[in-house]
Amino acid sequence: CCLLISCAQKVQRNEIRIGMTDSISSFNPVLGNRNNAENFWRLLYQPLVDFDIRNMKSVPVLAHDLPTVNYNDSTNEYTLQFEIRTDAKWDNGTPVTTRDVAFTMKLLKLFDTAGMYPLTNELKQIVFTTDKRVFTMIIQANNNKLYDEEFDVPILPEYFYDPKSLLFEKNFKEFVAFRNKMPDTELEQWRKNFLESAAPNPYFICGSGAYKLTNTPDHGMFMLERKPNWWGNAYNNADDLIYFQAYPARFEYFTSMT
């Protein structure tokens, strides 16, 4: 849990200090424990859709809008069409695309994150279009219901974590079999390298969120600084987009590390 010197309202302080009584198991949202790190991850990474606690409704974040949803009774499947915001960017200036979404979803299956993200088991396929921002998810229905919180998965950049696009040609079903050992030496080495991204090192962390880690934790203290040229700054004053309201210039965390 956290002891926060903050609030949900707009603040004009340049720095917020947060004392955490629990350790953070990983700085990577695919490899860590969601219960003790989710609020921290939200500063570094962004999902397609998230939940606005002010009105208890889903809101688009990386997605341009909430998805178009259709249900197929004969297959008991949902199809959801998403469109990514045109101005969503990674730190290197390249756009967030459907390939980043597909890459992240393959990671969920590879590292068996069903305990954190229910979408891990229910996602069957991602269908691409000629538009790199538009894609369709095919999801196995769960008791004929679709839960909004299933889509709050932080999206990771393919270019940063898989620059050779080793995972791109592999289908979703294969990744369940890959959990114990990847099928060839190059992929197995990639998996070992990715596991290193659990470490609290700025070199291993890249997200589309408003903040970046600026130091390797020293005696349980680490800092996040607001990115000066963050793509979401254009939405900073939009009251209906709470997840783009990044006001403090810096967060200082005091915690134990496992």
Side-chain angles (χ1 to χ4, degrees), residues 155-169:
I155 303 301
L156 274 63
E158 181 193 38
Y159 86 87
F160 186 87
Y161 292 103
D162 186 15
K164 294 184 179 180
S165 298
L166 297 177
L167 306 190
F168 183 70
E169 298 298 331

Side-chain angles (χ1 to χ4, degrees), residues 122-153:
E122 295 164 5
L123 179 63
K124 298 182 66 177
Q125 187 179 359
I126 288 182
V127 180
F128 295 101
T129 67
T130 55
D131 188 332
K132 294 181 179 181
R133 298 181 298 109
V134 178
F135 65 95
T136 298
M137 284 186 178
I138 301 177
I139 297 174
Q140 189 67 46
N142 182 8
N143 297 322
N144 295 332
K145 293 182 179 180
L146 190 67
Y147 299 98
D148 293 341
E149 60 269 24
E150 294 185 22
F151 304 101
D152 62 350
V153 177

Side-chain angles (χ1 to χ4, degrees), residues 1 49-50 54 111 135-136 154 214-215 225-226 235 240:
C1 64
V49 175
D50 216 326
R54 300 173 303 177
F111 293 100
F135 65 95
T136 298
T214 59
N215 71 302
E225 290 188 358
R226 189 174 60 207
Y235 302 99
D240 59 330

Side-chain angles (χ1 to χ4, degrees), residues 6-7 9-16 226 236-237 246-250:
S6 180
C7 61
Q9 303 299 318
K10 293 183 179 180
V11 294
Q12 300 302 322
R13 298 171 181 150
N14 286 327
E15 181 179 293
I16 290 181
R226 189 174 60 207
N236 214 349
N237 294 319
Y247 291 98
R250 182 168 68 177

Side-chain angles (χ1 to χ4, degrees), residues 68-211:
T68 302
V69 181
N70 291 290
Y71 175 68
N72 187 326
D73 187 64
S74 62
T75 61
N76 193 30
E77 293 175 345
Y78 283 102
T79 59
L80 296 90
Q81 186 176 77
F82 286 89
E83 179 179 347
I84 299 171
R85 294 181 188 271
T86 57
D87 48 357
K89 298 286 195 302
W90 299 113
D91 288 350
N92 70 346
T94 59
V96 179
T97 71
T98 57
R99 287 183 60 130
D100 299 307
V101 176
F103 170 70
T104 302
M105 298 307 156
K106 288 176 180 179
L107 292 178
L108 300 190
K109 291 187 177 290
L110 176 61
F111 293 100
D112 193 13
T113 62
M116 292 195 296
Y117 307 113
L119 192 60
T120 301
N121 289 337
E122 295 164 5
L123 179 63
K124 298 182 66 177
Q125 187 179 359
I126 288 182
V127 180
F128 295 101
T129 67
T130 55
D131 188 332
K132 294 181 179 181
R133 298 181 298 109
V134 178
F135 65 95
T136 298
M137 284 186 178
I138 301 177
I139 297 174
Q140 189 67 46
N142 182 8
N143 297 322
N144 295 332
K145 293 182 179 180
L146 190 67
Y147 299 98
D148 293 341
E149 60 269 24
E150 294 185 22
F151 304 101
D152 62 350
V153 177
I155 303 301
L156 274 63
E158 181 193 38
Y159 86 87
F160 186 87
Y161 292 103
D162 186 15
K164 294 184 179 180
S165 298
L166 297 177
L167 306 190
F168 183 70
E169 298 298 331
K170 304 296 182 182
N171 65 53
F172 284 102
K173 291 182 180 179
E174 291 180 274
F175 284 90
V176 175
F178 291 168
R179 286 174 183 170
N180 295 322
K181 186 174 178 63
M182 297 293 264
D184 60 56
T185 303
E186 188 174 27
L187 281 168
E188 179 61 20
Q189 184 59 52
W190 174 88
R191 185 174 74 157
K192 292 178 180 178
N193 292 341
F194 184 80
L195 288 171
E196 292 182 5
S197 67
N201 186 321
Y203 175 77
F204 294 127
I205 296 173
C206 182
S208 62
Y211 293 85

